[in-house]
Amino acid sequence: MSKPHECDLPRFNATALLERLRNKRLMFCGDSLNRGQWVSMVCLLDAAIPSSLKSMRTIANGSLSIFKAKEYNATIEFYWAPLLVESNSDDPVTHRVPDRTVRVKAIEKHARYWTDADILVFNTYLWWKRPVMNVLWGSFDDPDAIYKGVEMVRVYEMALRTWSDWLEVHVNPNKTKLFFVSMSPTHQKAEEWGGAEDGNCYKEEKMIEKEGYSGKGSERRMMRVVEEVLQDLTTRGINVQMLNITQLSEYRKEGHPSIYRKQWEPLTPQQMANPSSYADCIHWCLPGVPDVWNQLLYAYIFHQ
């Protein structure tokens, strides 16, 4: 594995991490990219635990998945909240809705499950990537609720402010370590790295060699919003460590599942004739890139 410049990452030791997590909850909260990082972490730890001493269960209507290492009384959990705040995409299975709506001021429905965690790892990015988001003031059941379209970066900031206010009130900084994972890059336009004009990550076998490469899918404006919100939190006594995975993942155009993915709908003859049309160039193969994200997380857990 290539090493980051001026950075000596400690070797991942599953037993040492389980010992560190004894009687604790490590929780990932966010979208399917964060779920991939959770699956990676479960797999990295799984081999160190005898099969009789581990369990997996799902609660909260399928939103919360809990892997438990019984001998350590440790849990590694994932909570589905792709926008962190409440939305009409909160169902962990049926969240493909044509008109996405968020309640930027409402987070408690999700956040009540996060309260007692010892390590919280958040992400939210990809689900915000649309020019305008439908914002709801009031509840989904309220006939007098107010709906308004808000442009992307502004609505993202509004939601992160709600999230940060919740952290300030509900998190004990002496007990809980907080992380926010930076944006996960996509590789949906091969021309960005000098490939075919109509191509994407399909059939890619080598990583991008050009140092500092950045695809157009990575919205730097959104990450600046995250940095500002995290900076503001430090002035309020809450330290959230940014897990900066963006640049190291930018190079990995060959690391996506491509056509080897779950198909939610049967493929059409047109898709079958053009495999790149249904290639997944967003999520990551496992073992793969998210394992490196967890190596960084591991280093922070032991050296913060």
Side-chain angles (χ1 to χ4, degrees):
M1 188 183 85
S2 300
K3 252 176 55 171
H5 296 317
E6 298 170 34
C7 176
D8 198 9
L9 285 175
R11 188 176 177 81
F12 190 97
N13 182 324
T15 311
L17 183 53
L18 285 164
E19 192 56 64
R20 181 62 65 101
L21 294 174
R22 187 180 287 279
N23 301 320
K24 289 186 166 65
R25 292 174 69 201
L26 163 57
M27 191 175 209
F28 294 84
C29 315
D31 60 20
S32 52
L33 289 154
N34 215 11
R35 181 171 55 211
Q37 189 174 351
W38 167 73
V39 171
S40 157
M41 182 62 85
V42 168
C43 292
L44 287 166
L45 295 174
D46 179 77
I49 310 166
S51 53
S52 61
L53 292 173
K54 56 194 168 194
S55 66
M56 180 76 84
R57 67 192 178 107
T58 303
I59 60 170
N61 223 10
S63 292
L64 180 56
S65 302
I66 303 169
F67 175 79
K68 183 166 190 178
K70 297 176 186 174
E71 188 183 350
Y72 296 90
N73 189 32
T75 58
I76 295 89
E77 309 177 26
F78 171 72
Y79 185 88
W80 171 262
L83 298 131
L84 295 183
V85 292
E86 288 183 34
S87 75
N88 63 348
S89 300
D90 288 342
D91 188 291
V93 180
T94 52
H95 44 251
R96 286 167 182 75
V97 292
D99 200 11
R100 191 166 299 155
T101 303
V102 291
R103 295 179 67 203
V104 284
K105 295 291 184 194
I107 199 167
E108 192 55 43
K109 182 181 93 174
H110 301 317
R112 61 198 174 101
Y113 291 100
W114 313 337
T115 310
D116 298 325
D118 299 276
I119 301 171
L120 282 164
V121 183
F122 295 98
N123 93 319
T124 188
Y125 166 65
L126 215 56
W127 284 62
W128 297 96
K129 283 198 68 186
R130 45 185 59 202
V132 174
M133 187 79 88
N134 208 13
V135 176
L136 165 64
W137 280 270
S139 75
F140 283 104
D141 309 326
D142 181 0
D144 300 321
I146 298 166
Y147 288 85
K148 187 182 173 191
V150 180
E151 69 88 22
M152 180 199 33
V153 177
R154 177 76 189 105
V155 71
Y156 187 59
E157 181 178 10
M158 289 161 77
L160 286 179
R161 294 287 174 196
T162 298
W163 167 78
S164 69
D165 288 347
W166 182 87
L167 290 180
E168 185 185 11
V169 173
H170 294 277
V171 164
N172 175 354
N174 298 320
K175 166 186 155 71
T176 305
K177 284 185 169 164
L178 299 164
F179 297 90
F180 192 98
V181 184
S182 70
M183 60 192 172
S184 174
T186 61
H187 293 93
Q188 293 170 302
K189 292 196 169 93
E191 59 184 327
E192 291 179 5
W193 59 83
E197 198 173 305
D198 58 349
N200 55 21
C201 71
Y202 175 58
K203 282 197 164 174
E204 291 290 347
E205 294 176 359
K206 292 191 170 72
M207 63 182 278
I208 294 165
E209 300 285 351
K210 183 187 171 197
E211 186 157 347
Y213 169 83
S214 178
K216 292 191 176 69
S218 299
E219 283 276 355
R220 303 287 164 184
R221 293 179 304 161
M222 289 171 75
M223 280 305 105
R224 277 197 287 277
V225 167
V226 174
E227 285 168 358
E228 285 163 15
V229 170
L230 300 194
Q231 187 59 46
D232 182 47
L233 270 170
T234 59
T235 66
R236 294 188 266 164
I238 303 286
N239 180 35
V240 182
Q241 174 63 53
M242 174 86 88
L243 205 63
N244 195 340
I245 56 96
T246 306
Q247 186 61 65
L248 67 91
S249 310
E250 288 274 14
Y251 303 118
R252 299 298 305 277
K253 63 180 166 60
E254 86 305 350
H256 300 283
S258 181
I259 59 172
Y260 304 101
R261 49 165 288 195
K262 180 173 180 171
Q263 302 299 338
W264 296 95
E265 304 283 338
L267 292 171
T268 65
Q270 292 92 327
Q271 285 176 311
M272 299 281 273
N274 180 17
S276 69
S277 66
Y278 62 89
D280 178 353
C281 301
I282 294 173
H283 300 95
W284 301 96
C285 296
L286 286 175
V289 173
D291 298 332
V292 184
W293 305 351
N294 279 323
Q295 270 203 284
L296 290 171
L297 179 61
Y298 176 93
Y300 278 120
I301 288 171
F302 277 90
H303 299 282
Q304 240 187 1

